[in-house]
Amino acid sequence: MKLRLKGYWGLRQWDDDGLNPTVDEIQANDWDSSTSEGAPCLGAPINLRTESPCQITKIYTAKGTHILFRTHHAITDGRGTVHFMQDVFRILRGEEPIGSTSRITEWDIAMREQRPDYSVAEDDCLPVIKGSVNPELTGYQWHRFDWTGDKNKLAAKLIYACAELARNHFGEGKVLFRIPADLRRYMNESEGFTVANCSGAIDLEIEATTKLNEIRSQIVKAMRNKLDLAPFKENHKYVKWLPKSLFRVHPDSLKRMHREQRYRMSGIMSYMGEVDNDQFRCDGFTPFSQFGVPIPFENRPIFVAACTYNNISNIIIGCPRSACTMSELNEFCKQLSDSLDNL
């Protein structure tokens, strides 16, 4: 959580003697925490050369206090961040932290396992949200809502509902969703636990005839066949010698995506599962809710993040500002909630 990036090109390396996590306080009386509008600390990217890759902020609003844990995906992932958060609150309660005894990353795991071929074609995919498209707009936005329905098979339900809405809004076409997958399942017990980024991905194409239970079966089959390792290729090790500009989507290409409403994939679906609120409790702070903010991909038409606690599922929808207005995003959240209710 205190790594710093040093060096250039393929000689870049992580320095352990970096910056400690920062802790700040911010007053944000006008932010209601249900949307990105007016949200502090959630717009600018973290500079890994000059800033701490882990930043903690106490945000005071008219409705209460939020504690924001913000980490860079280069050093950790969702599960690693939650583990770190739990350790912070263990210490605040006077308990011993669990810590992390491993430095293993997703690349280490992928390179030591037998990987299947990556056979998914990422192109010409339908978006999900029907809104007022303005390709000239830049930036990202999100809206969240609580859902109290049956959380059983929630990841499959979210994929099924979004696929159905995509075809209702845009007609027939290709629907492809990416699901982040925790690769720690490949680690041996003797290797301990790693908080490093350790995420793979499963890409699922959803046909118009695909049933809800079939999506669940597809996910299980993909895990059994190690498809969460398929996106990693050994020749990716040479990528570190390429200029960073090659990895950025050209503004004209981004505008064309939004204008034509065809993308490399329909969206990303990240479900953290059940996360106990009580783990983030200490003297003077008793949490009643939690939510994760989506990664601001402007070249993905939607990012759905969800977690469950106390029989409530907090679902947060992120999308480029060029894809719809905030009121249209709010309306989409209602459509998605209704669709989930019907499953």
Side-chain angles (χ1 to χ4, degrees), residues 289-307:
S289 70
Q290 57 174 282
F291 62 93
V293 177
I295 300 172
F297 289 121
E298 288 192 65
N299 61 340
R300 301 288 189 268
I302 193 173
F303 193 129
V304 180
C307 66

Side-chain angles (χ1 to χ4, degrees), residues 94-250:
E95 302 170 8
E96 285 295 317
I98 293 176
S100 173
T101 55
S102 173
R103 290 173 172 262
I104 289 177
T105 69
E106 82 281 23
W107 179 259
D108 298 324
I109 290 175
M111 290 303 103
R112 76 186 190 187
E113 297 287 335
Q114 187 171 0
R115 302 176 305 281
D117 291 332
Y118 186 71
S119 57
V120 176
E122 298 180 22
D123 59 6
D124 202 30
C125 294
L126 297 178
V128 180
I129 302 173
K130 185 76 169 179
S132 304
V133 176
N134 184 348
E136 300 302 319
L137 286 177
T138 59
Y140 201 74
Q141 60 188 351
W142 52 265
H143 199 292
R144 68 184 182 93
F145 64 96
D146 287 341
W147 186 67
T148 56
D150 183 3
K151 62 187 177 184
N152 185 38
K153 297 184 286 190
L154 181 57
K157 288 178 179 178
L158 285 167
I159 293 171
Y160 182 86
C162 284
E164 193 175 53
L165 288 169
R167 291 196 167 93
N168 288 344
H169 292 157
F170 299 97
E172 287 305 307
K174 184 176 179 179
V175 176
L176 175 71
F177 285 105
R178 168 161 288 186
I179 311 169
D182 185 5
L183 301 184
R184 292 173 182 83
R185 69 191 184 95
Y186 293 101
M187 294 176 63
N188 300 320
E189 188 175 336
S190 61
E191 291 177 309
F193 182 86
T194 180
V195 295
N197 186 35
C198 206
S199 295
I202 297 171
D203 293 331
L204 293 181
E205 185 171 351
I206 310 301
E207 303 288 347
T209 56
T210 302
K211 306 299 183 185
L212 173 61
N213 286 334
E214 291 175 337
I215 295 176
R216 171 63 179 166
S217 298
Q218 281 182 300
I219 296 173
V220 172
K221 183 179 179 181
M223 298 284 280
R224 187 180 299 125
N225 294 333
K226 297 187 175 183
L227 292 182
D228 48 357
L229 297 173
F232 298 96
K233 301 300 177 186
E234 193 158 355
N235 60 7
H236 287 175
K237 63 186 177 184
Y238 301 112
V239 165
K240 63 185 180 180
W241 294 101
L242 298 176
K244 201 158 52 173
S245 58
L246 288 180
F247 300 95
R248 297 193 183 102
V249 180
H250 192 278

Side-chain angles (χ1 to χ4, degrees), residues 38-52:
C41 312
L42 293 173
I46 296 173
N47 187 325
L48 287 171
R49 295 186 180 276
T50 60
E51 298 180 276
S52 170

